[in-house]
Amino acid sequence: MPVVTREEASAAPRKPAEHIPNCVTCKTRHLSICAALSSPELVMFDQLVQHREFPPKSVLFEQGAAADFVFSVSEGTIRLVRLLSDGRRQIVGFAIKGDFLGVGLESHYEFTAEAVDTARVCRIPHHGFETMADEKPHLLRKLHEIASRELHHSHDQMVLLGRKNAEERVAAFLISHRDRLARVSNCTVTIPLPMSRSDIADYLGLTIETVSRTISKLAREKLIVVVPDGVRLLDPDRIAALARG
Amino acid sequence: MPVVTREEASAAPRKPAEHIPNCVTCKTRHLSICAALSSPELVMFDQLVQHREFPPKSVLFEQGAAADFVFSVSEGTIRLVRLLSDGRRQIVGFAIKGDFLGVGLESHYEFTAEAVDTARVCRIPHHGFETMADEKPHLLRKLHEIASRELHHSHDQMVLLGRKNAEERVAAFLISHRDRLARVSNCTVTIPLPMSRSDIADYLGLTIETVSRTISKLAREKLIVVVPDGVRLLDPDRIAALARG
DNA sequence: CGTTTCGTTGATATTAATCAACGAGCGTGG
DNA sequence: CCACGCTCGTTGATTAATATCAACGAAACG
């Protein structure tokens, strides 16, 4: 089964040509790891950073490969994928603007990261970043805060996967995704969903069909409206209540 | 339904009377957070530490409560519990000797911790510990390593909960638990399981009955033998293969 | 020594998975 | 430009895995 064409799946990231991005003038700075850095540190950081654009379906890095880079996401959506040998897939997270990849500073990536839509990232050589973290405790502290937040979120996800039914899972996904988007944009009730039903299913431990049916059910009950590439929450409170379980 | 008697559920920890534990002479030191500390730092650490013993079913701390202490486990097994409002329960982890609780340095505990059997812990006031971490980057670095390892493990658990069947879940639990025990004791094929079937079920996102049936099935297939308060692996390799999925 | 808890096993129910079909949208190439 | 193939999402019918309900024996406990 041919899944992707050579062009779109090319692992080679594109360098954006238009204008030169800069850490100091970066608008997503305060949302990202860079919020921990002072102005002079930002200048230093800027020396390390490589700006890259990954087209849809391209791979940022592969599970098990040497973790030569860490990443800060500037734009787009990235799925974080774990595979079983027989093809079963679990998505352990979606990274969006402001998110950091490689927070564990591990020597090898523990999941594969694939662009869902066009993703722009700051790519930082692992070694340089780690050196900087070792020299600047407040950066390490920020890194630890990020890891702690992710650990907390992964516990939420364990509750979801272990104990919630399909409807609760989908509702929880919508609310959690909305909350994350709200932090980095002005999204409130209309939630863009660039990822496929298959991605959502593999994130929620369900099948495509169950996700589709559940979304249809929520729509039938007038809790949401399905819009192109997303959903709109008609009754966010009741969705949130459902999500809680 | 009276679950526990006043005596055993009393939240008040006991102070061990026999001999005075000491961080410098502590035998589990190299397994724990303390591995990051130098000798003089250990002395300093010892000033902060309160040694406490928690009887079975007693609560170390409650989800949502102010995180006044962090903990290092010296002995015993502790279950880390998340509850839904309707009583559904998800155990997000079991802490054993060498494990650290409160790794996120969060202001409020994000789960409840309950002793499964008699648990001995080093309890450290949050504030003092955090101050020390802020002053000693290598301690913070160690903390971050621990958090990263836990994050990795929680991703494994997401794969388990989202995509593995009952047999794979039980096998994975046995192998993972064995590996953790092996790091801190000489356990290899006979795995002590102080936690109840109910605990295992709530950890694996299954019911008591399914856990029981699955263990019986593995025993019937001569992959394990059920022993009092544990199991013995007859064919660790095949169990491990099952666990992988 | 009764009572309760725990683990096990059996019978049945239920949820979500699987199998299947179909239409819309999209890109490709005739 | 249109036809074709492909992917994607949706919906329906059926199956399968696990949950639920129920009963029981053994061990633990007061």
Side-chain angles (χ1 to χ4, degrees):
Chain A
M1 47 168 177
V3 176
V4 288
T5 68
R6 162 174 289 272
E7 190 144 57
E8 70 183 356
S10 161
R14 295 197 293 250
K15 243 187 219 171
E18 318 83 39
H19 65 94
I20 301 107
N22 184 296
C23 288
V24 179
T25 59
C26 171
K27 278 181 292 182
T28 62
R29 167 155 69 89
H30 62 291
L31 300 169
S32 74
I33 183 91
C34 300
L37 302 175
S38 66
S39 285
E41 284 167 353
L42 272 176
V43 174
M44 189 177 159
F45 200 70
D46 192 57
Q47 304 296 309
L48 284 174
V49 162
Q50 304 162 3
H51 299 270
R52 290 291 183 277
E53 192 174 298
F54 288 85
K57 300 187 187 176
S58 64
V59 174
L60 281 78
F61 54 81
E62 201 92 39
Q63 174 175 3
D68 295 329
F69 299 96
V70 298
F71 298 79
S72 182
V73 181
S74 319
E75 207 61 60
T77 307
I78 295 159
R79 59 173 172 251
L80 314 180
V81 178
R82 285 282 200 95
L83 276 181
L84 294 182
S85 53
D86 64 357
R88 278 176 286 177
R89 193 176 76 143
Q90 178 69 36
I91 290 181
V92 297
F94 292 105
I96 62 172
K97 184 196 291 193
D99 286 341
F100 189 86
L101 299 177
V103 74
L105 299 179
E106 61 273 358
S107 62
H108 295 262
Y109 297 118
E110 56 134 331
F111 47 71
T112 296
E114 299 166 349
V116 169
D117 47 16
T118 299
R120 291 195 300 109
V121 302
C122 302
R123 195 174 82 168
I124 307 115
H126 183 122
H127 180 72
F129 182 79
E130 187 156 9
T131 302
M132 197 166 164
D134 283 338
E135 286 165 0
K136 312 206 175 290
H138 56 289
L139 178 57
L140 178 55
R141 182 61 199 255
K142 179 72 178 178
L143 207 58
H144 186 61
E145 268 174 42
I146 293 173
S148 301
R149 189 162 56 235
E150 282 192 25
L151 190 56
H152 187 116
H153 182 256
S154 76
H155 289 159
D156 291 345
Q157 196 68 1
M158 283 167 62
V159 176
L160 180 148
L161 292 169
R163 288 295 176 228
K164 290 184 181 173
N165 65 28
E167 195 176 33
E168 291 163 346
R169 292 184 199 202
V170 170
F173 168 65
L174 294 177
I175 293 296
S176 154
H177 199 60
R178 179 202 59 172
D179 290 347
R180 276 159 42 85
L181 287 173
R183 281 177 40 88
V184 300
S185 70
N186 52 0
C187 147
T188 51
V189 290
T190 299
I191 308 169
L193 297 175
M195 68 291 286
S196 67
R197 294 290 185 266
S198 173
D199 288 338
I200 297 173
D202 286 341
Y203 182 58
L204 298 179
L206 299 170
T207 59
I208 302 174
E209 295 93 329
T210 299
V211 169
S212 181
R213 273 187 254 271
T214 305
I215 289 177
S216 298
K217 185 173 171 225
L218 293 176
R220 214 176 314 125
E221 289 165 353
K222 303 270 184 279
L223 295 174
I224 63 174
V225 180
V226 179
V227 298
D229 298 312
V231 301
R232 172 176 306 205
L233 304 186
L234 292 182
D235 195 336
D237 292 346
R238 280 181 60 200
I239 300 280
L242 255 181
R244 255 170 259 126
Chain B
M1 46 167 181
V3 176
V4 287
T5 67
R6 164 175 288 272
E7 190 145 59
E8 71 181 356
S10 159
R14 295 196 293 250
K15 243 188 219 172
E18 317 83 40
H19 64 93
I20 300 108
N22 184 297
C23 288
V24 179
T25 59
C26 170
K27 278 181 294 182
T28 62
R29 167 154 71 89
H30 61 291
L31 300 169
S32 74
I33 183 91
C34 301
L37 301 175
S38 66
S39 284
E41 285 167 353
L42 271 175
V43 174
M44 189 176 161
F45 200 69
D46 191 58
Q47 304 297 308
L48 285 173
V49 162
Q50 304 162 3
H51 298 271
R52 290 291 183 275
E53 192 174 298
F54 288 85
K57 298 186 187 173
S58 64
V59 174
L60 281 77
F61 54 81
E62 200 92 40
Q63 173 174 4
D68 294 330
F69 299 96
V70 298
F71 298 79
S72 182
V73 181
S74 319
E75 207 60 61
T77 308
I78 296 158
R79 60 172 171 253
L80 315 180
V81 178
R82 286 282 200 93
L83 277 180
L84 295 182
S85 53
D86 64 357
R88 277 176 287 177
R89 193 176 78 142
Q90 178 69 36
I91 290 181
V92 298
F94 293 105
I96 62 172
K97 184 197 290 193
D99 286 341
F100 189 86
L101 300 178
V103 74
L105 299 180
E106 62 273 358
S107 62
H108 296 263
Y109 296 118
E110 56 135 329
F111 46 70
T112 295
E114 299 166 348
V116 169
D117 46 15
T118 299
R120 292 194 301 109
V121 302
C122 302
R123 195 174 82 166
I124 308 116
H126 184 122
H127 181 73
F129 182 80
E130 187 156 9
T131 302
M132 197 165 163
D134 283 340
E135 287 166 359
K136 312 209 174 287
H138 56 289
L139 178 56
L140 178 56
R141 182 61 200 255
K142 179 73 177 177
L143 207 60
H144 186 61
E145 267 173 43
I146 293 172
S148 300
R149 189 162 54 235
E150 282 192 27
L151 190 55
H152 187 117
H153 182 255
S154 75
H155 288 158
D156 290 345
Q157 196 68 359
M158 283 167 63
V159 176
L160 180 148
L161 293 169
R163 289 294 176 230
K164 289 184 180 173
N165 64 30
E167 195 176 34
E168 290 162 347
R169 291 184 200 201
V170 170
F173 167 66
L174 294 178
I175 293 297
S176 153
H177 199 61
R178 179 202 58 172
D179 290 347
R180 276 159 42 84
L181 288 172
R183 280 176 41 88
V184 300
S185 70
N186 52 0
C187 145
T188 50
V189 290
T190 299
I191 308 169
L193 297 175
M195 67 291 286
S196 67
R197 295 289 186 267
S198 173
D199 288 338
I200 298 173
D202 286 341
Y203 181 59
L204 298 179
L206 299 170
T207 59
I208 302 174
E209 295 92 330
T210 299
V211 169
S212 180
R213 274 187 253 271
T214 305
I215 289 177
S216 298
K217 185 173 170 225
L218 293 177
R220 209 162 37 236
E221 290 166 352
K222 303 268 184 280
L223 295 175
I224 64 174
V225 180
V226 178
V227 299
D229 299 313
V231 301
R232 173 177 306 208
L233 304 187
L234 292 183
D235 195 336
D237 291 347
R238 281 180 60 201
I239 300 280
L242 257 180
R244 254 170 259 127

